[in-house]
Amino acid sequence: MKGRDAALLNVYNAAGQSVTQNGLIAYGEPVFGNCCQRYYNVDYNIDAPYLAVSYKIGKLNLDGSVRFNSSRASGYYASNNGLSVVDVNQDGIIQTPERSVPVVNPQASSPVNYRKNYFTYSVGANYEVMPSLALFARVSRGARFNADRILFGGGVRADGSVADEVAVNFVNQQEAGIKFRRGGAYVNLTAFRATTAEANEIVIPQQAIINNKYRSYGVEFEGGVDRGIFHLTAGATYTHARITESQVTPALNGNIPYRQAALIFQATPSIRTDRFDIGANVTGTTSSYAADVNTLKMPGYVMTNAFASYAITPAIRLSVNVQNLFDVIAITEVGQVPDSVPADGIDTARAFPGRNISATATLRF
């Protein structure tokens, strides 16, 4: 109940009987359905030799790379075999938390034994139209070798093997754009498209197995300007993203991936001299869905952080930083029920902290 010498408190029912054990409410995770008491001992190894080349022809720069990935996994894993009554502290008394204890039996483990070989690559070009202007383009294919996230989601067969599309998820990307530099100012503008596959398990906020394919396209801007003591950097990304195929839940096809906002942006203006710095960082996002079913939205927000420092002498500097200056509510995740409003109207959510201020004095000697 207090910060110093804190201790867990036992909870008692109406009959005066403790329903906790030294403050412990459960040996499992009942809020998550006791899903995640697990044991695994798996080795993952990736050998990835690669070759990269670049070539310049006048104002045209070309580059390319290719990588051969040889990935392998071996070991074993086991999940809990249900709830059991166990005298965990061996005091001869079965207390409430000991009546439903999830137990993992390593002797009943399953094997993991698979190897996948695959190629990834990237090819790009940059053309200098004039000293201050260039055009660029790139095509690439990346990959992720799935590891422990597929052990408990049905991705591993009884003999330890894994299907190709589950073991390795690929990302295919194409982008093209323009770069401009002149007089202390720069602008990059990029159009992009990507297709992605993902086989994974989500544990928080809810346990779920996903095996989805996604497609996205959009435009990204970044730029900045330096004019004497004034400096500005800024960026924004517009993304149109959709679930194109969900093998686990086909009803999600065509939906927007959860927590994917259409627009995110940021800007950092500042004034800097030899004596003082002052500025702010502004970040924002439009609304996004809390879950792939697209029934509950999280509101967008704009959050401002501010900073200032002043050199009293060359050796002494005072600084002040303010996070979330305007104390906005910036929700990034909806918890226990991410797809609807519960009947009692109460849910959990994760948000950025409210306004907090720190001050620092620095002495250099």
Side-chain angles (χ1 to χ4, degrees):
M1 297 299 289
K2 57 183 179 179
R4 185 177 180 182
D5 300 325
L8 295 173
L9 298 179
N10 275 320
V11 178
Y12 295 84
N13 60 20
Q17 300 169 324
S18 174
V19 295
T20 59
Q21 189 178 76
N22 297 323
L24 185 69
I25 65 169
Y27 281 96
E29 296 169 336
V31 173
F32 293 98
N34 292 300
C35 68
C36 305
Q37 287 70 39
R38 298 166 171 178
Y39 173 82
Y40 56 94
N41 186 349
V42 187
D43 292 323
Y44 297 95
N45 295 279
I46 300 177
D47 296 320
Y50 69 93
L51 174 67
V53 296
S54 61
Y55 188 68
K56 184 176 181 179
I57 310 173
K59 295 183 177 182
L60 178 64
N61 284 276
L62 301 173
D63 70 83
S65 62
V66 62
R67 187 172 71 179
F68 174 74
N69 303 269
S70 180
S71 306
R72 58 191 182 276
S74 61
Y76 46 90
Y77 68 101
S79 58
N80 74 74
N81 55 5
L83 302 179
S84 304
V85 177
V86 181
D87 186 7
V88 178
N89 63 1
Q90 298 183 355
D91 64 353
I93 301 173
I94 300 298
Q95 295 177 285
T96 299
E98 297 174 322
R99 298 183 185 279
S100 55
V101 181
V103 178
V104 177
N105 180 14
Q107 303 303 319
S109 60
S110 301
V112 178
N113 185 19
Y114 60 97
R115 176 191 288 268
K116 302 297 176 184
N117 298 326
Y118 50 96
F119 284 94
T120 56
Y121 61 84
S122 180
V123 179
N126 187 92
Y127 180 73
E128 182 183 323
V129 180
M130 60 182 66
S132 60
L133 182 67
L135 305 176
F136 66 93
R138 180 165 299 277
V139 177
S140 60
R141 184 198 201 203
R144 184 188 69 175
F145 180 61
N146 282 325
D148 58 295
R149 286 285 185 166
I150 62 173
L151 294 181
F152 301 95
V156 183
R157 301 183 181 115
D159 62 355
S161 63
V162 176
D164 291 348
E165 63 272 14
V166 174
V168 182
N169 293 157
F170 289 99
V171 179
N172 296 288
Q173 302 177 91
Q174 306 88 41
E175 63 178 18
I178 183 171
K179 296 184 287 187
F180 176 80
R181 306 279 190 278
R182 178 179 291 175
Y186 74 94
V187 173
N188 297 336
L189 189 63
T190 307
F192 64 87
R193 181 183 182 276
T195 58
T196 310
E198 181 180 22
N200 208 337
E201 179 191 19
I202 301 172
V203 177
I204 297 174
Q206 290 182 327
Q207 184 193 23
I209 305 301
I210 60 174
N211 193 340
N212 295 342
K213 292 182 180 179
Y214 305 90
R215 181 183 64 244
S216 65
Y217 58 84
V219 179
E220 182 177 65
F221 159 82
E222 60 178 341
V225 60
D226 290 316
R227 288 286 186 270
I229 64 174
F230 177 75
H231 309 275
L232 172 67
T233 61
T237 303
Y238 168 77
T239 304
H240 181 280
R242 294 293 185 270
I243 300 171
T244 57
E245 182 182 350
S246 176
Q247 295 188 17
V248 177
T249 312
L252 299 179
N253 294 349
N255 285 7
I256 300 173
Y258 75 110
R259 302 180 198 165
Q260 175 63 65
L263 179 65
I264 58 175
F265 54 90
Q266 58 85 20
T268 304
S270 63
I271 295 176
R272 295 198 299 266
T273 70
D274 294 336
R275 200 70 180 267
F276 71 90
D277 295 350
I278 186 170
N281 171 250
V282 180
T283 61
T285 176
T286 55
S287 62
S288 61
Y289 286 106
D292 285 341
V293 294
N294 290 183
T295 54
L296 184 65
K297 268 191 174 182
M298 299 183 294
Y301 59 85
V302 176
M303 189 165 58
T304 304
N305 305 317
F307 56 90
S309 67
Y310 180 75
I312 300 176
T313 71
I316 302 175
R317 178 175 287 268
L318 302 179
S319 303
V320 176
N321 288 278
V322 184
Q323 293 182 315
N324 199 353
L325 176 63
F326 300 110
D327 205 25
V328 301
I329 297 176
I331 296 175
T332 62
E333 175 185 302
V334 176
Q336 294 180 352
V337 186
D339 56 359
S340 61
V341 177
D344 60 5
I346 300 173
D347 206 342
T348 60
R350 179 176 295 173
F352 280 102
R355 181 191 302 114
N356 60 89
I357 303 171
S358 63
T360 305
T362 303
L363 172 63
R364 300 184 184 276
F365 55 91

